Each structure stands twice: as C-alpha cells, then as structure tokens.
Amino acid sequence: MQIRLREIRKSFKVYKRPEGKWGLLRGAFMRNVTRVDALGGISFDIEEGELVGYIGPNGAGKSTSVKVMSGILTPDSGECTILGKIPWKHRVEHVSKIGVVFGQRSQLWWDVPVADSFDVLKDIYAIPPGDYRLRLSELSATLGVEALLRTPVRQLSLGQRMRCELVAALLHRPKLLFLDEPTIGLDAVSKLALRNFLKEENRKYGITMLLTTHDMDDIEALCQRVMVIGHGQLLYDGQLSGLQQKYAPEVVMKVNTDAMIAAMYNDLALG
C-alpha cells in the first residue's frame, strides 16, 4: 500500500475585518477569528500503480489533503503514511519519491531558461548525470519541449509551461505523482496530449497518480477509480461507472416520430 490516510483533520483560522464605516480602523486593533474545518476526518488507501481521480467543489478539501500527503502541511490529527513514511516528519526522504504538479503554481524559476531550472532540480534530487540526460531526453521528446529548453519560463504559454512542469516533476523518477488541476486553462489539443502522456507513464513505469480536477473529461479519460470529497469528508470511493449510475443515471427517452410528424402536418394544414 503506497498511500494510507486515517482520520486526517485540518482546520485553518480565518481573520475577518469588522464591518461598518470604521471597520478598517477597528480591524487594526481587533479581528474576528473564524475556524474553518478543511478536512474533517478523511480516510482512504491507494495501492501501487493506481490512477485515481479526486474530485469535489472548490473548498471541499482536495488541495489541502494533497498538501498533507506531499508534506507541505501538517494535519491537526490523524495518521498518514506515504510509502511507509510520514510526509511532514520525513520530508527529505519523502520528496525524493514523489512528484507534484500544481496547475496554478510553478516549481520552475520564472526568469531563467527552462533547462537551467531542470539542472537545479538535478542537483536537488542528486540525479546521476547519465540518468539525468537520458530521462530529460526521453521526457522532452515525449512532451515536445526540446525547442523550449533555452526559453525563459515567463515567455512560455500556459500549455508549454504545464508540459515543462511535468518534466520537472518526473525527472527523478518518482513513485507517486500528485496532480492538482494540471489541465486548468489548457486548450483541447494540449489536454489530449497531456492525458495520453499520463496514461503512458502510468502504464510504462507503474507510477501511482492522484489527479484532482474539475474537468470530468480528464477523469473519464484517465481514471477507473474516483473519490469524491465534500466539506472535508469522503463522500464516494469506487468505480467511475458506479458514480455515474448513482448520481447521473442514464435516461432513456422514447419518441414516437410518427405521431410527431402527423402533428406537424396537422399544424401546417391548419396554418
């Protein structure tokens, strides 16, 4: 078992400025504090080689749980082990075995060429030079970014940057890949290419993937298993087909075309 969560809870303090004409002034001395429960005791297991869709509305807790699993956040309570390690306690060992792609955040250096960012990541992950060159060549060719390697990240389109982000996340051959909205803002062609690449990486190398997205086309194209989260609770965990049957059953409509045509002719005749 590669991912194991048991009763993970995480809350945040939200500070609100007092309302009214003098709210800004009073807010300098007094703030209203509200506690928001992002995760309310979530539990699940993910086995090696699975490609799992993780869906839910904004604020449901998807990104928070991904950040807990990647070691960015420490939960308030509960147990989480990734490849036998606790992410927030064994950060160095943990990050060497995972890859993370956040659709709205970058792990590349904004003002330097893409290749320079890859070289820095090679040193961070201590990738042997021979393995680095081989993996970079393989990923660059597959994702079509060879011509972009000398381009500063700030000059890339969103689709180009996302492809480079995937290269960066996979350079060190991680066993787990967390994908948080990886296709956000991409055009249809870029989405298809990204989906095909992820399916091939999963098939070829057995990389376990957890995909959070609002795009159900991504889920249908990539995932057989789906987890649905809402208000910090796991609402559904099972096959995509089961989710469709439970919440969006197929509706069969029978139409008597002969009657429709007869009615149309009657209307025309009366007109």
Side-chain angles (χ1 to χ4, degrees):
M1 187 182 302
Q2 291 199 320
I3 299 176
R4 182 178 185 272
L5 271 70
R6 290 293 181 273
E7 291 296 318
I8 291 292
R9 298 179 182 274
K10 181 66 179 178
S11 61
F12 298 97
K13 291 181 179 179
V14 178
Y15 296 94
K16 295 183 178 180
R17 192 182 72 190
E19 298 180 359
K21 183 178 179 180
W22 302 101
L24 180 61
L25 182 60
R26 295 207 313 271
F29 303 96
M30 177 185 66
R31 289 185 293 180
N32 298 323
V33 181
T34 303
R35 182 173 293 276
V36 176
D37 293 324
L39 297 175
I42 194 168
S43 303
F44 59 77
D45 298 326
I46 296 178
E47 302 290 344
E48 182 178 357
E50 283 195 272
L51 207 167
V52 181
Y54 197 37
I55 61 176
N58 289 330
K62 302 186 302 296
S63 295
T64 300
S65 46
V66 169
K67 289 175 182 177
V68 168
M69 288 184 281
S70 57
I72 297 173
L73 290 178
T74 300
D76 299 332
S77 63
E79 299 178 5
C80 173
T81 55
I82 310 292
L83 296 168
K85 302 291 183 182
I86 299 174
W88 56 91
K89 289 185 177 180
H90 307 97
R91 283 193 172 95
V92 175
E93 297 173 73
H94 180 60
V95 298
S96 68
K97 297 177 182 178
I98 68 168
V100 181
V101 176
F102 289 106
Q104 301 184 65
R105 295 176 180 83
S106 179
Q107 60 187 317
L108 305 173
W109 281 261
W110 196 245
D111 292 311
V112 302
V114 174
D116 290 357
S117 290
F118 292 162
D119 288 342
V120 172
L121 290 170
K122 173 183 75 72
D123 294 335
I124 289 174
Y125 289 113
I127 306 172
D131 188 39
Y132 170 71
R133 288 191 296 270
L134 180 64
R135 185 62 168 155
L136 178 59
S137 176
E138 176 188 26
L139 291 171
S140 298
T142 304
L143 288 166
V145 300
E146 301 105 316
L148 306 175
L149 295 179
R150 302 314 311 170
T151 304
V153 174
R154 57 183 167 78
Q155 295 181 10
L156 300 178
S157 69
L158 181 58
Q160 291 171 335
R161 183 176 68 80
M162 287 310 303
R163 282 183 279 150
C164 292
E165 294 282 353
L166 272 171
V167 174
L170 293 167
L171 275 173
H172 59 295
R173 301 183 186 274
K175 296 182 178 180
L176 297 172
L177 183 61
F178 296 111
L179 300 155
D180 190 9
E181 299 283 359
T183 63
I184 189 169
L186 299 187
D187 58 64
V189 174
S190 297
K191 284 186 178 183
L192 287 173
L194 192 60
R195 290 168 190 159
N196 290 334
F197 171 77
L198 293 174
K199 283 193 289 188
E200 183 61 17
E201 283 290 300
N202 175 257
R203 183 197 65 80
K204 189 174 181 180
Y205 297 108
I207 300 175
T208 305
M209 299 183 187
L210 181 66
L211 169 67
T212 74
T213 181
H214 291 289
D215 191 333
M216 286 305 297
D217 289 337
D218 289 344
I219 299 296
E220 291 180 3
L222 294 169
C223 309
Q224 291 186 332
R225 179 184 171 190
V226 178
M227 297 189 296
V228 181
I229 185 175
H231 300 291
Q233 301 284 343
L234 192 62
L235 306 178
Y236 177 86
D237 184 358
Q239 297 295 306
L240 177 60
S241 57
L243 178 66
Q244 292 169 330
Q245 291 172 4
K246 185 173 182 179
Y247 295 104
E250 183 178 350
V251 176
V252 178
M253 180 180 293
K254 293 184 178 181
V255 179
N256 188 333
T257 55
D258 291 339
M260 290 178 62
I261 293 171
M264 181 181 68
Y265 276 116
N266 288 336
D267 290 342
L268 290 173
L270 292 173

